[in-house]
Amino acid sequence: MQLSLRDILKACARKLVYQLSRLLPRNPNKAVFGSYKELFSDNSKYLYKYWQQQQFIRCIWISANQDVIKQLNKNKQEAYYRWSLLGIYHALTAKYYFYNSYIGDINQWLAGGATKINLWHGSPMKKIEFDIDNGPMAEVFNPQSALAQFKQSMLAHQQHVKPDLMLSPSPLIDTLFSSAFRLQASQLLHCGNPRTDYYRTETNQQLSPPQTQAHSTELAALRQQIQKRQYQQVILYAPSWRDSYQGDNPYCNAFDWAALSEHLQQHNQLFLLRLHPNEAALAQQFSDFANIINISAMEDVYGLLDCVDLLITDYSSLFIDVLPLNIPINFYRFDKTHYQQNCRNMYDYASSMADIGPESLTFAALLTQLQPASINELASQFQSNYLTVSKMYWGESAKSSFNVLEDWIKNHHELNSLL
């Protein structure tokens, strides 16, 4: 990609704004939140909801999605459009930025001087960020020439802004995040993730009653449908993002959707289709088959996991989130060779990880695994390895992210008051 003089001047002006934003005083009792694709989703969503309920700190959601803002405001939750006067003001004056991917989830040009807590959106098997050494994203994080490095410094501003803090539940994740985000050990807090802690906390009835009813209308309707129809089994398909595909929809050939629908009806099973947010539009053409529901546009799947009897994925870190819930897993890797050659390399540990579920490479093999009896057998078949891998990702007993973050912020306040 050629950089024009206009591109360079625009990038320089934005970087100047970022540096100038460091000069403004920031309120230590105020935090701003945001998420990728302008969604109300993932870790930042659940931290925001929890702290809104507990009134631990002033929580403000920032987004360019007016529908999200209207819905939050309707629920009496504070949210502002990114480039409104109040959106700009709070992005400039909040001490804490909580986001799921990059500071652009909130405002990448006004974050200078804020304490940046990257909650991230997964625990990786695929290489991420500065560990990426192949595929299209390698050009962003590891450009080879001096000219390419200059281009990325101009165009990929937020990808190169290092977080001040991240959450890690185990020594394995410590190692991965330290490398991928170039962090020191002191920049990692040892605890779980808000998106999984939220529902475990809810199950333990540690939240006030209104919080237990804080499901979206869409989620509530789907849960009601699952309960009403009394499906024999609920299957969630949530693959990873295939970042090397151009043009064609890889899921057309990955499934015989008519045959899948027939199988699901025959066995009274429900198939929830959840493509990655970057591929959500690809799921629309599969939405009309019986017993298949496209939930790719939903905020997230965490409010449904207690209904799921089988997770089908490939390299998505969602399988890590379901480990504490003991949900059986099938790894459907229909394009394994292409994916490994053209997308991103895997971390070394992934190749030696104990099997926690069957690997299916063809649709025919997958369909065999979707027999109700096969699904029921998975839990006992892989139990020992399942527990081992769960411990590897989640440690001995991951502390609540809410408690750990609250303690860190309190200590941070005390330290700053002494300076």
Side-chain angles (χ1 to χ4, degrees), residues 10-133:
K10 183 187 292 185
C12 289
R14 287 172 169 174
K15 286 181 176 293
L16 177 60
V17 171
Y18 179 80
Q19 295 301 327
L20 290 175
S21 70
R22 295 177 180 274
L23 303 177
L24 277 76
R26 292 187 174 269
N27 185 343
N29 295 311
K30 182 164 66 176
V32 286
F33 299 75
S35 186
Y36 47 74
K37 296 289 183 181
E38 311 299 346
L39 300 171
F40 183 55
S41 65
D42 219 292
N43 283 314
S44 55
K45 164 189 171 179
Y46 289 107
L47 183 61
Y48 171 87
K49 288 174 66 172
Y50 185 84
W51 279 350
Q52 277 267 324
Q53 193 65 217
Q54 301 299 314
Q55 299 182 340
F56 169 71
I57 194 171
R58 184 179 179 184
C59 299
I60 301 170
W61 193 269
I62 302 293
S63 175
N65 187 326
Q66 294 282 17
D67 291 335
V68 167
I69 294 164
K70 289 177 183 176
Q71 184 60 46
L72 289 173
N73 291 160
K74 183 179 179 181
N75 294 335
K76 299 183 179 180
Q77 296 170 307
E78 193 170 9
Y80 301 103
Y81 179 71
R82 178 172 295 124
W83 295 111
S84 68
L85 287 177
L86 284 174
I88 293 171
Y89 171 74
H90 291 303
L92 281 169
T93 57
K95 177 64 177 176
Y96 300 103
Y97 269 51
F98 290 96
Y99 51 98
N100 293 324
S101 294
Y102 306 106
I103 53 173
D105 291 353
I106 302 167
N107 195 313
Q108 65 171 312
W109 308 113
L110 306 182
T115 299
K116 305 167 189 66
I117 299 94
N118 190 343
L119 302 172
W120 201 236
H121 50 273
S123 301
M125 289 182 70
K126 297 178 300 183
K127 290 187 176 181
I128 59 172
E129 306 300 283
F130 291 97
D131 285 344
I132 299 174
D133 53 14

Side-chain angles (χ1 to χ4, degrees), residues 25 97-98 124 133 188 195 218 263 288 332 335 358 377 379 402:
Y97 269 51
F98 290 96
D133 53 14
L188 296 170
R195 62 176 180 244
E218 185 180 15
H263 168 92
D288 295 330
Y332 183 34
D335 56 353
E377 291 171 2
F402 305 125

Side-chain angles (χ1 to χ4, degrees), residues 294-324:
N294 174 22
I295 61 168
S296 300
M298 284 184 62
E299 293 171 355
D300 54 54
V301 299
Y302 294 97
L304 288 170
L305 292 182
D306 63 314
C307 303
V308 171
D309 298 291
L310 175 70
L311 169 67
I312 304 174
T313 187
D314 41 28
Y315 310 101
S316 170
S317 63
L318 181 61
F319 87 87
I320 299 169
D321 288 344
V322 307
L323 289 172

Side-chain angles (χ1 to χ4, degrees), residues 315-373:
Y315 310 101
S316 170
S317 63
L318 181 61
F319 87 87
I320 299 169
D321 288 344
V322 307
L323 289 172
L325 301 175
N326 296 313
I327 297 174
I329 304 166
N330 186 297
F331 294 95
Y332 183 34
R333 294 165 178 160
F334 58 87
D335 56 353
K336 184 176 182 178
T337 301
H338 168 87
Y339 193 89
Q340 293 180 343
Q341 289 178 349
N342 298 285
C343 291
R344 280 180 258 162
N345 287 333
M346 307 294 286
Y347 281 107
D348 291 340
Y349 84 88
S351 62
S352 59
M353 189 173 70
D355 292 334
I356 59 173
E359 180 182 61
S360 302
L361 300 180
T362 66
F363 175 71
L366 176 66
L367 200 60
T368 299
Q369 293 290 338
L370 296 188
Q371 294 295 327

Side-chain angles (χ1 to χ4, degrees), residues 91-195:
L92 281 169
T93 57
K95 177 64 177 176
Y96 300 103
Y97 269 51
F98 290 96
Y99 51 98
N100 293 324
S101 294
Y102 306 106
I103 53 173
D105 291 353
I106 302 167
N107 195 313
Q108 65 171 312
W109 308 113
L110 306 182
T115 299
K116 305 167 189 66
I117 299 94
N118 190 343
L119 302 172
W120 201 236
H121 50 273
S123 301
M125 289 182 70
K126 297 178 300 183
K127 290 187 176 181
I128 59 172
E129 306 300 283
F130 291 97
D131 285 344
I132 299 174
D133 53 14
N134 76 315
M137 294 304 292
E139 298 177 11
V140 175
F141 293 100
N142 287 297
Q144 296 303 302
S145 67
L147 178 60
Q149 291 175 12
F150 172 73
K151 287 181 179 179
Q152 292 306 323
S153 69
M154 291 289 101
L155 299 177
H157 167 74
Q158 62 176 344
Q159 285 86 348
H160 292 262
V161 174
K162 196 161 48 170
D164 297 298
L165 202 68
M166 292 189 73
L167 309 183
S168 171
S170 70
L172 171 64
I173 307 302
D174 283 357
T175 301
L176 300 179
F177 281 175
S178 294
S179 173
F181 293 90
R182 299 177 176 175
L183 302 179
Q184 302 297 317
S186 60
Q187 294 177 280
L188 296 170
L189 288 183
H190 296 109
C191 60
N193 292 316
R195 62 176 180 244

